[in-house]
């Protein structure tokens, strides 16, 4: 099977079976989303959703967060991974939002990446979800699933991103990001993939059944 045919078959399956896939992070605004995505690095969405209600109650907007100290933020997020660095990133991110963007989360990928704690993956997530940008964020789930399914052989997240965006129509890229993440989170898991339950097995390069 060619890569093009594999992409077409897999995309078609997701369109039919998961047309409304979306983020499992809880948020009500672009500001809340960017905070949640920063917190989600190497941490589960479930854990992030446990700490953000108190965080957003204490710091409901970039202005209040920008005026906080990392120590104050740390006390509210200390159960997530790397809380010290994330607390500093959140405060720095809010301060730059105020100083450079008038408190508004920018839509441009390069501008998003100037915010502390925001790398390419986080920038793509925010731009995709908030602004419907035709980009695909490649995290560990997307990277793993893309390789196993034979959608990419890229050695870096950026290379995988290029392969996915070259074969997935622009209008489907925002939802495709969630397709691949959720498939990796619940079916194509890192240590014990549930291949026997996977509806994509017939198109998968890694399936040995």
């Amino acid at each position: 099977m060619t890569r093009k045919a594999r992409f077409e078959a897999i995309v078609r399956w997701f369109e039919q079976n998961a047309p409304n896939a979306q983020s499992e992070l809880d948020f009500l605004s672009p500001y809340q989303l960017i905070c949640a995505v920063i917190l989600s690095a190497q941490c589960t969405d479930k854990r992030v959703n446990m700490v953000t209600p108190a965080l957003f109650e204490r710091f409901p907007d970039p202005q209040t967060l920008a005026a906080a100290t990392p120590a104050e933020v740390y006390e509210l997020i200390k159960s997530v991974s790397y809380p010290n660095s994330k607390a500093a990133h959140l405060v720095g991110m809010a301060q730059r939002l105020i100083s450079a963007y008038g408190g508004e989360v920018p839509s441009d990928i390069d501008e998003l990446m100037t915010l502390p704690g925001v790398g390419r993956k986080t920038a793509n997530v925010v731009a995709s979800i908030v602004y419907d940008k035709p980009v695909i964020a490649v995290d560990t789930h997307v990277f793993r699933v893309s390789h196993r399914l034979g959608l990419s052989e890229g050695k870096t997240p950026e290379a995988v991103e290029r392969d996915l965006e070259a074969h997935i129509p622009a209008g489907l890229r925002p939802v495709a990001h969630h397709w691949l993440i959720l498939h990796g989170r619940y079916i194509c898991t890192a240590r014990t993939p549930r291949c026997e339950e996977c509806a994509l097995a017939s198109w998968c390069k890694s399936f040995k059944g």
Side-chain angles (χ1 to χ4, degrees):
M1 175 181 283
T2 66
R3 182 176 293 181
K4 181 175 183 291
R6 180 174 282 108
F7 262 100
E8 290 175 349
I10 290 171
V11 167
R12 187 182 312 114
W13 185 88
F14 277 122
E15 280 189 290
Q16 293 171 352
N17 292 277
N20 300 311
Q22 56 188 342
S23 175
E24 293 187 317
L25 291 170
D26 295 335
F27 65 96
L28 295 174
S29 67
Y31 159 72
Q32 289 190 359
L33 175 63
I34 198 167
C35 289
V37 179
I38 289 173
L39 289 170
S40 72
Q42 299 183 54
C43 186
T44 66
D45 288 1
K46 181 178 179 180
R47 169 58 57 184
V48 172
N49 289 338
M50 291 172 67
V51 305
T52 49
L55 178 70
F56 297 148
E57 182 178 4
R58 177 80 173 274
F59 306 112
D61 50 43
Q63 289 77 10
T64 52
L65 183 58
T69 65
E72 291 176 292
V73 176
Y74 171 86
E75 289 302 318
L76 296 170
I77 67 166
K78 58 187 176 183
S79 65
V80 305
S81 59
Y82 307 106
N84 283 299
S85 61
K86 288 178 180 178
H89 286 155
L90 286 173
V91 172
M93 177 275 296
Q95 290 173 343
R96 180 153 177 81
L97 278 185
I98 300 299
S99 65
Y101 304 108
E104 299 295 324
V105 176
S107 62
D108 181 79
I109 300 291
D110 292 332
E111 290 182 344
L112 283 164
M113 289 174 63
T114 69
L115 301 171
V118 177
R120 186 168 187 85
K121 185 211 77 172
T122 297
N124 279 0
V125 170
V126 173
S128 171
I129 294 175
V130 175
Y131 299 109
D132 209 31
K133 295 278 188 176
V135 294
I136 296 180
V138 178
D139 67 354
T140 55
H141 293 304
V142 175
F143 191 86
R144 178 178 69 254
V145 170
S146 296
H147 279 82
R148 287 181 178 172
L149 290 177
L151 301 179
S152 176
E153 297 177 358
K155 303 300 183 185
T156 65
E158 291 78 12
V160 172
E161 179 185 332
R162 288 194 294 271
D163 285 339
L164 295 175
E165 292 182 1
H167 291 87
I168 296 176
L172 292 177
R173 290 174 198 164
V175 70
H177 160 71
H178 300 302
W179 288 340
L180 296 172
I181 283 180
L182 296 175
H183 192 68
R185 186 172 293 164
Y186 297 113
I187 300 297
C188 194
T189 52
R191 294 185 180 177
T192 53
R194 297 160 60 184
C195 298
E196 301 302 328
E197 301 175 36
C198 181
L200 304 178
S202 60
W203 303 302
C204 180
K205 283 189 81 171
S206 299
F207 182 57
K208 306 301 181 184

